[in-house]
Amino acid sequence: MKFRALCLQGFAALTLISAALAATAAPLKTLHVLLTKQESVMDPAVASDIATASINENIFEPMLTYEYLARPLKLKANTLTAMPTISDGGKTYTMHLQHGILFTPDPAFHGQARELIAEDYVYAIKRLYDPGLKSPWLFMFEGKLVGDEKLRADKLPNGKKFDIHTPIAGIQAVDKYTLRIRLNAPDTNFLFILATTASSAVAKEVMETYGNQAGNHPVGTGPFVLSEWQRSFQIVLSKNPQYRTTVFSETAGSDPAAQSVMAGLKGKNLPLVDKVEINIVEENQARVLGFLNRQFDFLEQVPAPLAEMVLKDGKLKPELQQQGIRLNMFPTLQTYYMWMNMEDPVIGGYTPEKIALRRAIALSYNSKEDISLMEKGLAIQAQTPLPPSVLGYDASFVSPVQYDIQLANALLDKFGYQRGADRYRMLPDGKPLQLLMHSEANAAGRLREEVWRKNMDALGIRIQFKADKHSEIIHAARLGKVQMTEADWIADFPDGENFYQLLYGRNIGRANYSRFNLPAFNQLYEQSQTMADSPERRKIYQQMALLLQGYNPWVLRIHPLSADVMQPWLQNYVRHPVNYTNWRYLDIGPDARQNRKK
């Protein structure tokens, strides 16, 4: 009953916020956007799916963020007064918070204004160590903070439980507004880590009040506040009336488009819109039709199977150009792959016959055909987990695992996967070989099923599919209950570490869904963490890529090229390589109301 009462109080507070916005003299500006997958829990320590992370980065705030227009990428202070001071040879970071930043009102604060303080970041980062959360983001800090073995479940003495209040030397609030972080060794990516949403501040009172329901009750200091939530359908964010004055003052390089956006933003207070109406649209056709019917202000990553609805010969269709619609082709820092559970009794394991099975599956995948037919040319073949423009990417590296169905079948024959009378293969022990792949319960998922059905038929392998919600697949994968499925990863920070951690043994149960745990790979990953981007580190990454392709926990697929389209009234749109959204910078022109279809 207490929790229900608190929820009712929270909704009452949101209603007051909405009423205050409605009372303003100027008409409200509403940005209409879509997300392609259902949201999960809005807890920055837990959420790793793009949909939820997109929402979270507008509610919660890390200490640092990226400049909107700077290319190459440039970090800037967010809730800090200035960039961190780095000392002790790169092992000590000292941060000073701005005064007067407030969390949005919530019953957990008992009617009191709640200021952001240094201890909130200490609490938020230590929460990542909570074994009950199984945070996929722990890799960013684990083993790096001085003394963090006092928080690590695998290092605690027998019988001792995780205690978030345990002090460690690696992260301390020096005073109310000063935070100090000490590392065991220099980390060239650590500033990037401080700009991730997962390191955002959360309020201890909120987490303790709502417990395991805290992810359903997000309270942050960001530019927007959650005002409506119809799960898996529509989410509305409203401008945070308590958000601090944030005047756009960045500069842009020589790119004319960026300079034009800079001129339109300079001196303006962010965010520019009053509301962001977010619709969950999982079906490809509904996304494109919704945009063409002017229900959405922009559409990122036009679904490749439907690209001809928008593009012709790689350019925007003339009739759309005449309507003032604009096209932007954007190379995302993203990798698509299919992973296989290395702990699964059928497909997992490190013995030669298990490696041969996974290798054959990898050899059955025809990336060139997939890119041509399914992706409509809007992708490049992935040779390693790293997409172009990520630090550590090697354009000269070519995967030794390429499409070869004849070799794939020969491997299966050699290692005892013989065909039965029905031409389907058996396990080496004579039992039927049957695979189960999870897929998303939508049209795109069904198309991907057909790709893998064709691949497995060419090998004589029976395969069944289990369609489910994306969030349910992720949940089951963290528990090791998915045999194989397709996935994708988009950079949280632009360094190869962010991709190779997906295969690091210590991240099993977090972001390492394939549960790959190879000592040789783990050692190389740990060695690479101590190095800056360099030819030496790229050689280590090459060795890691070869181990990946030797044991085949993944089938590497593609790096997509995103075709993004915008309505004529949308202003200040620039796609950022790392941040998931740009909603706080966008504005709506005066012609949107009469042109938008209801």
Side-chain angles (χ1 to χ4, degrees):
M1 291 297 293
K2 179 183 177 183
F3 175 72
R4 183 175 182 274
L6 286 167
C7 285
L8 291 173
Q9 293 176 50
F11 282 119
L14 293 174
T15 301
L16 289 173
I17 291 171
S18 298
L21 288 169
T24 57
L28 295 182
K29 290 183 179 180
T30 301
L31 181 68
H32 295 263
V33 305
L34 67 87
L35 294 174
T36 63
K37 290 181 172 61
Q38 298 171 5
E39 78 287 0
S40 57
V41 291
M42 295 185 196
D43 181 341
V46 177
S48 62
D49 59 288
I50 295 174
T52 313
S54 298
I55 299 166
N56 282 347
E57 75 176 12
N58 289 279
I59 296 174
F60 300 97
E61 291 192 292
M63 289 177 268
L64 304 180
T65 189
Y66 292 88
E67 289 196 4
Y68 183 40
L69 302 174
R71 304 292 184 275
L73 295 172
K74 182 179 179 182
L75 290 167
K76 66 176 182 179
N78 188 27
T79 58
L80 305 181
T81 59
M83 290 292 288
T85 300
I86 305 174
S87 57
D88 189 25
K91 294 191 292 184
T92 298
Y93 291 71
T94 304
M95 287 74 72
H96 300 282
L97 270 66
Q98 298 178 40
H99 294 206
I101 296 177
L102 298 177
F103 283 95
T104 54
D106 189 85
F109 302 137
H110 303 292
Q112 302 296 312
R114 175 60 160 83
E115 188 179 13
L116 174 70
I117 57 176
E119 191 61 45
D120 295 321
Y121 282 107
V122 174
Y123 178 81
I125 290 171
K126 288 166 73 174
R127 268 189 89 228
L128 302 178
Y129 288 82
D130 185 345
L133 293 178
K134 293 183 171 60
S135 174
W137 306 109
L138 180 54
F139 78 92
M140 299 190 300
F141 296 94
E142 187 177 41
K144 297 180 182 180
L145 302 184
V146 173
D148 78 346
E149 62 273 6
K150 296 179 182 179
L151 299 173
R152 292 165 59 180
D154 63 318
K155 299 290 185 180
L156 294 176
N158 289 336
K160 187 171 183 180
K161 295 183 178 180
F162 169 81
D163 182 0
I164 197 169
H165 303 294
T166 301
I168 64 169
I171 181 164
Q172 297 174 321
V174 178
D175 58 42
K176 187 175 182 180
Y177 301 106
T178 305
L179 179 72
R180 181 172 296 138
I181 294 179
R182 293 188 176 97
L183 304 180
N184 289 312
D187 184 345
T188 56
N189 287 325
F190 199 68
L191 289 178
F192 291 143
I193 287 169
L194 296 182
T196 60
T197 305
S199 65
S200 295
V202 296
K204 174 183 175 182
E205 300 95 313
V206 172
M207 297 299 151
E208 292 184 346
T209 296
Y210 301 105
N212 59 11
Q213 295 296 315
N216 299 323
H217 199 92
V219 177
T221 62
F224 294 99
V225 58
L226 178 69
S227 56
E228 296 178 35
W229 190 359
Q230 300 178 60
R231 293 182 183 277
S232 304
F233 177 65
Q234 187 179 80
I235 298 152
V236 177
L237 303 182
S238 297
K239 181 189 291 187
N240 180 0
Q242 293 189 161
Y243 191 57
R244 63 192 176 278
T245 300
T246 305
V247 178
F248 187 88
S249 58
E250 297 178 15
T251 58
S254 58
D255 179 60
Q259 288 182 336
S260 175
V261 170
M262 180 194 70
L265 282 170
K266 198 164 187 178
K268 291 185 177 178
N269 193 31
L270 304 176
L272 299 176
V273 297
D274 300 291
K275 293 171 65 178
V276 182
E277 183 180 291
I278 307 159
N279 284 274
I280 308 301
V281 186
E282 295 187 275
E283 296 293 348
N284 285 342
Q285 189 174 49
R287 294 176 213 162
V288 180
L289 290 177
F291 174 81
L292 294 177
N293 288 332
R294 303 179 180 181
Q295 295 168 356
F296 305 116
D297 295 314
F298 60 91
L299 173 61
E300 292 179 340
Q301 211 153 331
V302 170
L306 302 178
E308 67 277 2
M309 296 176 68
V310 174
L311 305 177
K312 183 177 181 180
D313 299 326
K315 297 180 180 179
L316 194 66
K317 282 187 170 182
E319 57 267 33
L320 298 183
Q321 294 182 40
Q322 292 170 8
Q323 296 175 32
I325 291 173
R326 291 161 288 155
L327 169 69
N328 177 53
M329 301 299 286
F330 181 77
T332 61
L333 305 186
Q334 192 170 15
T335 300
Y336 283 74
Y337 56 100
M338 188 274 282
W339 59 260
M340 294 169 275
N341 186 344
M342 294 292 287
E343 295 178 359
D344 181 82
V346 174
I347 208 169
Y350 299 82
T351 55
E353 72 277 7
K354 298 295 189 179
I355 296 171
L357 175 58
R358 293 191 301 273
R359 175 70 59 80
I361 292 171
L363 290 168
S364 77
Y365 172 69
N366 189 337
S367 62
K368 293 180 180 178
E369 182 179 84
D370 203 11
I371 290 170
S372 174
L373 298 181
M374 299 293 290
E375 304 300 330
K376 305 301 180 183
L378 296 175
I380 63 171
Q381 182 182 0
Q383 305 292 342
T384 78
L386 308 190
S389 301
V390 164
L391 293 174
Y393 173 75
D394 184 354
S396 65
F397 183 87
V398 177
S399 169
V401 181
Q402 301 288 336
Y403 172 69
D404 190 332
I405 201 68
Q406 184 175 357
L407 177 59
N409 276 296
L411 266 176
L412 293 174
D413 292 340
K414 179 178 180 180
F415 284 90
Y417 295 92
Q418 301 304 316
R419 294 179 185 265
D422 60 0
R423 304 301 297 162
Y424 282 100
R425 294 187 181 272
M426 314 294 285
L427 290 165
D429 62 6
K431 295 178 182 178
L433 172 55
Q434 175 74 59
L435 300 181
L436 177 64
M437 174 178 276
H438 278 64
S439 61
E440 293 190 22
N442 53 39
R446 290 188 289 274
L447 286 172
R448 298 309 306 168
E449 287 179 10
E450 291 309 309
V451 170
W452 287 104
R453 193 187 309 277
K454 176 185 175 184
N455 295 348
M456 295 304 97
D457 281 347
L459 297 178
I461 295 177
R462 299 176 187 86
I463 187 166
Q464 293 181 335
F465 298 92
K466 181 178 179 180
D468 208 340
K469 296 179 181 179
H470 176 74
S471 57
E472 293 300 320
I473 296 173
I474 293 297
H475 177 70
R478 285 182 180 159
L479 298 175
K481 295 181 179 180
V482 175
Q483 187 180 71
M484 56 196 298
T485 191
E486 287 195 343
D488 67 281
W489 188 265
I490 189 167
D492 302 291
F493 52 89
D495 189 274
E497 177 191 350
N498 190 229
F499 288 83
Y500 278 116
Q501 61 89 17
L502 299 171
L503 293 150
Y504 180 47
R506 292 188 58 83
N507 286 343
I508 290 174
R510 306 171 197 162
N512 182 353
Y513 300 135
S514 68
R515 309 179 87 80
F516 184 57
N517 191 10
L518 186 71
F521 185 95
N522 295 340
Q523 291 169 11
L524 289 169
Y525 175 80
E526 290 165 1
Q527 183 181 349
S528 72
Q529 284 188 296
T530 66
M531 305 169 69
D533 181 46
S534 62
E536 291 73 24
R537 193 181 72 160
R538 285 193 287 275
K539 288 179 182 177
I540 291 176
Y541 280 173
Q542 185 178 90
Q543 295 175 56
M544 292 163 72
L546 289 171
L547 286 173
L548 163 64
Q549 287 141 353
Y551 287 85
N552 290 118
W554 285 13
V555 177
L556 286 163
R557 290 187 54 228
I558 61 166
H559 304 304
L561 178 64
S562 181
D564 306 333
V565 285
M566 298 139 274
Q567 300 289 3
W569 55 77
L570 184 67
Q571 299 175 358
N572 310 326
Y573 180 91
V574 173
R575 184 87 177 265
H576 195 274
V578 175
N579 285 340
Y580 298 116
T581 69
N582 50 10
W583 301 341
R584 70 193 68 189
Y585 301 101
L586 301 182
D587 204 354
I588 303 296
D591 56 343
R593 285 179 176 268
Q594 58 266 32
N595 288 330
R596 191 189 304 281
K597 292 185 179 180
K598 300 296 183 182

